């Protein structure tokens, strides 16, 4: 039974007071119908009315929650069965749209994401993170099962690889078929909402990875959606010239069309408003900014910049705590510069100036060839005048696949659990968690997972049983980093000072924290040599207490039994300072000190 159209209902199938209003953009259609199980799949029973600017709308009291449906679009001789671009749920990526109201019973109203300078992000892939059954992918319920573990580890933010409905059941998620629908095999909308709600109950924020640089390329009903296209390209949702080309298919959205920009804006807002996500990580933003991703003399896509700027501006105005992250990887502070200063306005961006040099130095097989200047440069790099405008990491889904492996596997191929591989991998994790920036770990990194990341292979939790001491070490550092353990809030500040940098011994020391903060001293040994009674220059009035010896045998039997102690202060000049702090440090060791008191 058709009824009065609700003008304010918005796009898609909107259920309100027992009536579902359908609205779809099909500017080249001659006629549009809705067919579904609510009208026995009749093809001409429910006609939509033409509105301005190519929109079509209609309302039905018969269409209800859970009903399946499709649009039938007539364009000349063409009769096209299309899924709703705004469908919140699908039977599968190549199936039918489902009417969903997304009215969840939330009880997370008191949750708020931690301040960005106290975040520790844990990137995970739902399908493999806690996959227990070889015959099915991991689900949102499987992730929920591990939330107490992540909370105990000290993680306060998880970043999920994309969960928008994709072709098939096994995927990284970077091939969205229906951007508004949640992957059915993971648990659909209800499962995802429950995960976000439960994460918040455990004090963990959720950042959603979204893909706006391309769609599909398979199972994409948006392709030639209303029957029109040019140059055999994708039609109204896509560029129909050379700008459509991306490394992932001929499916770059047409950011020049206001309706497409609105579509992507509505999608971004959905994750925040409907699902209570705390932030968005936008994939491959350089391919939204440039036709070729910013390589060489590339052509800029100004309307792509404007689309991202508009999304960031609206989110900042409505939800100031929401964090937007750009995976741009071009080292361009234009991405994180404020909108008022001509930038795009992202909260932070993944930092190529950290991950690449850090991995290079850690993986170098020669101690003498290890270039500490690259580590110093990686520590000191900033974007937009703020150290937290970058996400720092040594492992991510991209860095442990596509011909690259986990850090310990790269260090010692085939023997990632060897002493050398573990110790240098730990060195990298300490560097990440104490460097200026927002630190990020990839699933299993905390227990020396060594497998290449594959969407078909479950994370090996048996390794956690073998290396739970290393996970404990990471947890100890994370709790210092987030403030759960007192005395180290200098890790949350802007200040970094390199206080010792020896290219011969390969020992590096840096201090975090300004004069008014709880300062932290980090000492890293990048050589396979124990040092005893090693000296670095220190301030005269501080007493440095050992908080963490990352090479302590209590964390792992393969680590060192060298005695490590608080810094001993001696009145002799080192590094241009009148006093010297003397300590022992194991080979490939990492020490973290905090101030235990001052001398007047």
């Amino acid at each position: 039974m058709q009824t009065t159209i609700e003008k304010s209902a918005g796009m898609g199938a909107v259920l309100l007071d027992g009536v579902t209003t359908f609205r779809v953009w099909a500017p080249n259609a001659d006629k549009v119908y809705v067919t579904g199980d609510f009208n026995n799949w009749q093809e001409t029973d429910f006609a939509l009315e033409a509105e301005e600017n190519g929109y079509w709308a209609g309302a039905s009291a018969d269409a209800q929650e859970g009903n399946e449906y499709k649009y039938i679009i007539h364009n000349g001789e063409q009769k096209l069965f299309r899924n709703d671009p705004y469908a919140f749920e699908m039977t599968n990526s190549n199936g039918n749209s489902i009417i969903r109201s997304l009215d969840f019973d939330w009880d997370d109203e008191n949750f708020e994401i931690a301040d960005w300078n106290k975040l520790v992000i844990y990137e995970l892939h739902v399908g493999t993170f806690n996959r227990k059954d070889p015959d099915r992918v991991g689900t949102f319920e499987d992730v929920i099962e591990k939330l107490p573990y992540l909370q105990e580890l000290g993680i306060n933010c998880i970043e999920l690889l994309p969960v928008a409905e994709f072709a098939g059941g096994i995927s990284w998620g970077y091939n969205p078929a229906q951007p508004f629908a949640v992957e059915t095999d993971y648990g659909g909308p209800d499962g995802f909402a429950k995960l976000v709600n439960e994460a918040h109950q455990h004090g963990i924020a959720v950042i959603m990875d979204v893909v706006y640089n391309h769609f599909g390329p398979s199972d994409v009903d948006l392709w030639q959606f209303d029957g029109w296209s040019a140059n055999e390209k994708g039609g109204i949702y896509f560029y129909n010239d050379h700008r459509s080309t991306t490394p992932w298919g001929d499916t770059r959205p047409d950011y020049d069309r206001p309706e497409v920009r609105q579509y992507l804006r509505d999608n971004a807002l959905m994750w925040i408003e409907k699902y209570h996500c705390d932030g968005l990580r936008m994939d491959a933003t350089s391919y939204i900014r440039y036709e070729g991703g910013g390589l060489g003399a590339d052509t800029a896509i100004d309307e792509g910049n404007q689309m991202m700027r508009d999304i960031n501006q609206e989110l900042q105005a409505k939800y100031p705590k929401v964090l937007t992250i750009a995976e741009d990887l071009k080292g361009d502070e234009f991405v994180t510069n404020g909108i008022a200063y001509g930038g795009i306005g992202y909260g932070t961006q993944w930092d190529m100036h950290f991950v690449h040099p850090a991995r290079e130095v850690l993986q170098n097989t020669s101690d003498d060839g290890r270039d500490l200047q690259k580590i110093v440069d990686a520590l000191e790099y900033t974007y937009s005048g703020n150290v937290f405008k970058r996400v720092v990491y040594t492992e991510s889904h991209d860095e442990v696949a596509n011909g690259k492996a986990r850090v310990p596997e790269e260090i010692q191929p085939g023997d990632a659990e060897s002493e050398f591989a573990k110790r240098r991998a730990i060195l990298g994790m300490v560097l990440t968690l104490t460097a200026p920036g927002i630190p990020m770990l990839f699933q299993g990194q905390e227990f020396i997972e060594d497998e290449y990341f594959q969407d078909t292979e479950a994370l090996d939790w048996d390794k956690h049983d073998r290396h739970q001491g290393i996970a404990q070490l990471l947890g100890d550092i994370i709790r210092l980093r987030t403030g759960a353990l007192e005395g180290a809030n200098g890790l949350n500040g802007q200040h970094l000072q390199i206080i010792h940098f020896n290219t011969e011994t390969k020992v590096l020391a840096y201090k975090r924290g300004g004069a008014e903060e709880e300062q932290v001293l980090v000492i890293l040994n990048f050589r396979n040599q124990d040092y005893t009674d090693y000296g670095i220059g220190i301030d005269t009035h501080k007493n440095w207490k050992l908080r963490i010896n990352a090479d302590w045998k209590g964390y792992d039997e393969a680590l060192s039994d060298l005695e490590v102690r608080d810094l001993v202060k001696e009145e002799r000049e080192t590094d241009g300072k009148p006093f010297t702090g003397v300590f022992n440090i194991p080979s490939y060791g990492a020490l973290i000190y905090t101030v235990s008191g001052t001398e007047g």
Side-chain angles (χ1 to χ4, degrees), residues 101-388:
S101 58
L102 300 188
D103 290 330
F104 302 110
D105 186 17
W106 296 94
D107 58 358
D108 65 342
E109 62 276 358
N110 295 322
F111 179 81
E112 196 171 75
I113 187 173
D115 292 340
W116 299 351
N117 63 337
K118 294 183 179 180
L119 283 180
V120 176
I121 299 173
Y122 189 96
E123 188 189 24
L124 66 87
H125 175 247
V126 173
T128 60
F129 174 62
N130 188 30
R131 180 179 179 178
K132 300 189 288 286
D133 185 342
D135 294 327
R136 69 166 179 84
V137 297
T139 65
F140 298 126
E141 282 288 349
D142 294 328
V143 177
I144 289 170
E145 183 181 300
K146 289 293 185 182
L147 289 175
Y149 162 78
L150 294 172
Q151 183 181 31
E152 176 64 24
L153 187 61
I155 297 298
N156 56 19
C157 183
I158 56 175
E159 181 180 305
L160 305 183
L161 270 67
V163 303
E165 187 74 44
F166 47 74
I170 295 177
S171 172
W172 288 21
Y174 295 98
N175 55 330
Q178 290 287 139
F180 282 75
V182 175
E183 174 59 33
T184 305
D185 288 332
Y186 286 171
D190 294 300
F192 180 61
K194 182 179 179 183
L195 169 58
V196 176
N197 196 58
E198 290 291 326
H200 289 169
Q201 301 305 314
H202 286 81
I204 299 173
V206 178
I207 291 177
M208 176 48 55
D209 200 336
V210 294
V211 184
Y212 298 154
N213 54 74
H214 74 285
F215 295 133
S218 56
D219 289 3
V220 182
D221 265 14
L222 297 178
W223 185 263
Q224 298 180 359
F225 182 74
D226 65 0
W228 172 87
S229 68
N231 304 314
E232 299 183 351
K233 298 285 187 174
I236 59 174
Y237 278 94
F238 304 94
Y239 286 114
N240 284 262
D241 57 21
H242 65 278
R243 292 172 294 178
S244 66
T245 303
T246 77
W248 309 281
D250 207 24
T251 56
R252 179 182 278 126
D254 185 351
Y255 312 119
D256 204 25
R257 287 181 182 261
E259 296 87 356
V260 176
R261 293 199 303 272
Q262 182 72 30
Y263 182 66
L264 296 172
R265 171 266 179 198
D266 290 349
N267 186 264
L269 268 290
M270 177 195 73
W271 299 109
I272 306 303
E273 296 179 343
K274 297 289 188 180
Y275 288 110
H276 293 200
C277 289
D278 305 284
L280 301 174
R281 180 264 194 194
M282 295 194 193
D283 180 61
T285 55
S286 63
Y287 283 91
I288 302 175
R289 301 201 294 127
Y290 291 100
E291 290 182 20
L295 300 175
D298 203 355
T299 302
I301 305 175
D302 292 336
E303 58 268 26
N305 288 331
Q306 189 58 50
M307 183 269 294
M308 293 186 287
R309 190 177 288 119
D310 290 346
I311 290 173
N312 282 320
Q313 188 167 38
E314 184 170 1
L315 287 174
Q316 289 163 16
K318 291 181 176 178
Y319 311 104
K321 292 284 286 186
V322 162
L323 176 62
T324 56
I325 305 172
E327 189 228 8
D328 203 76
L329 299 179
K330 291 295 176 286
D332 190 348
E333 66 178 3
F334 168 71
V335 172
T336 43
N337 282 347
I339 294 170
Y341 300 97
I344 303 178
Y346 280 96
T348 190
Q349 63 177 304
W350 280 19
D351 187 20
M352 61 176 288
H353 291 290
F354 187 92
V355 59
H356 298 320
R359 284 178 66 103
E360 178 187 337
V361 171
L362 291 168
Q363 292 164 197
N364 195 320
T365 57
S366 167
D367 284 350
D368 288 334
R370 220 176 295 285
D371 186 356
L372 288 198
Q373 184 63 54
K374 292 183 177 181
I375 299 297
V376 171
D377 293 344
L379 286 166
E380 292 183 333
Y381 203 89
T382 59
Y383 295 98
S384 310
N386 184 336
V387 301
F388 299 105

Side-chain angles (χ1 to χ4, degrees), residues 1-6 9 13-22 38 46 58-67 99-101 103:
M1 179 177 66
Q2 293 184 239
T3 185
T4 304
I5 298 171
E6 175 56 58
V14 180
L15 181 60
L16 184 65
D17 297 329
V19 174
T20 299
T21 299
F22 296 88
F38 62 89
F46 181 11
S60 171
D62 297 324
Q64 294 296 309
E65 183 89 9
N67 286 159
I99 297 171
R100 287 301 311 270
S101 58
D103 290 330

